[in-house]
Amino acid sequence: YRRNILWERACKKVNLPFVCLHRESAVEEPDVLRRLVREKKLNFHRPFYGNQIFAGSNHFKAALVESRYVKEDMVVVTGLPRFDISYHRLQQSKNSDSKRVVLFSFMPAFSVPEVHETHGVHIEAGFVELFYSVHQVIARLALANQGYEFIIKPKWYSGLWKELIDRALERELGDYDMRPANLFVTDTQAAQDLIHNSGLVVAFNSTTIVEAILQKKPTIVPWYAEAAGQ
């Protein structure tokens, strides 16, 4: 990750091991990884100054090694550690009669190299209608069901992501500050905790779908608007 480069260099300077837990690409098909990683010639990107990379899959490790970005002994396949949490909670999952609905927010655009090259990062393009519709429906449901708690959980609630969520809620409510008391937006609570304490999960293009299903939570994947037929 680009934001870690100063930490990598600092650790190397003081001879302190730096390990990167890579959180993406764990479920990508091999041909997709080949196209996105190997054929992008990663050796032209900034070098990795750390000691090891923990990868989510053998396919991703192969992509990194075969692209000659790092040596084979620098990549360890760990799977996705957060799934251990879901697995161990299977025996203690709360009943799905919880009156909490969680929407794991999503950006309209994919953050993949093809998008970066043509439009930049996280542009307002792609699943735009789906994004606004889903977030507005959550606001509408919160208004109509005061006995339930509705939580919108983005990875981070700042910058463009915050602007988009606020705009979606304003479209439905007229004024963001007029949102009902049972509707919350948070980026501080862990996804696994939100899933564990929820009665219903709504998610799109996210591993939280799998995590919710593992914990036997009723799960909705919105599949309409731009996503229809995809």
Side-chain angles (χ1 to χ4, degrees):
Y1 297 103
R2 189 176 303 172
R3 62 181 176 271
N4 290 338
I5 188 168
L6 293 179
W7 288 104
E8 293 172 17
R9 287 176 169 172
C11 288
K12 185 175 183 179
K13 188 174 182 179
V14 298
N15 198 31
L16 184 68
F18 183 95
V19 176
C20 171
L21 173 60
H22 194 270
R23 298 172 296 175
E24 282 77 42
S25 305
V27 296
E28 298 283 6
E29 294 293 334
D31 60 328
V32 175
L33 286 173
R34 186 179 302 109
R35 176 168 55 85
L36 297 181
V37 179
R38 299 174 190 171
E39 296 176 6
K40 291 298 176 181
K41 299 180 179 178
L42 283 180
N43 53 315
F44 288 105
H45 290 244
R46 68 93 166 173
F48 176 62
Y49 297 99
N51 298 78
Q52 283 191 316
I53 297 174
F54 288 174
S57 70
N58 290 308
H59 297 313
F60 187 65
K61 174 179 179 177
L64 290 175
V65 174
E66 292 175 19
S67 67
R68 298 183 180 178
Y69 182 64
V70 291
K71 296 180 180 179
E72 184 173 3
D73 59 1
M74 292 180 67
V75 186
V76 178
V77 179
T78 60
L80 294 176
R82 66 176 179 271
F83 276 96
D84 293 351
I85 299 173
S86 296
Y87 176 79
H88 291 301
R89 279 184 169 175
L90 281 174
Q91 303 301 322
Q92 53 177 311
S93 289
K94 292 188 176 181
N95 294 329
S96 295
D97 57 0
S98 166
K99 292 188 174 183
R100 172 181 286 183
V101 177
V102 179
L103 164 63
F104 287 100
S105 184
F106 54 93
M107 290 290 282
F110 285 115
S111 195
V112 296
E114 282 79 358
V115 178
H116 292 182
E117 293 171 0
T118 56
H119 301 291
V121 182
H122 289 319
I123 58 166
E124 190 174 350
F127 299 104
V128 180
E129 182 183 343
L130 183 70
F131 173 88
Y132 283 115
S133 175
V134 170
H135 288 74
Q136 287 175 240
V137 166
I138 291 296
R140 197 177 310 146
L141 289 171
L143 280 171
N145 299 273
Q146 295 293 320
Y148 286 77
E149 185 178 66
F150 292 81
I151 297 177
I152 298 176
K153 169 64 169 70
K155 286 186 177 179
W156 59 87
Y157 188 47
S158 61
L160 178 58
W161 209 332
K162 182 179 186 301
E163 291 177 23
L164 292 171
I165 292 175
D166 291 355
R167 191 183 308 161
L169 298 182
E170 286 173 359
R171 287 185 178 184
E172 184 64 30
L173 305 172
D175 186 341
Y176 178 78
D177 292 330
M178 297 298 292
R179 66 188 184 278
N182 61 331
L183 175 60
F184 307 91
V185 182
T186 178
D187 61 359
T188 59
Q189 297 187 53
Q192 292 74 25
D193 291 336
L194 288 173
I195 292 171
H196 181 64
N197 295 308
S198 71
L200 175 67
V201 171
V202 183
F204 177 77
N205 190 36
S206 172
T207 52
T208 54
I209 298 170
V210 180
E211 294 177 82
I213 292 172
L214 279 175
Q215 293 199 40
K216 301 179 181 179
K217 298 293 182 176
T219 306
I220 294 176
V221 181
W223 212 259
Y224 59 96
E226 297 96 341
Q230 297 295 323

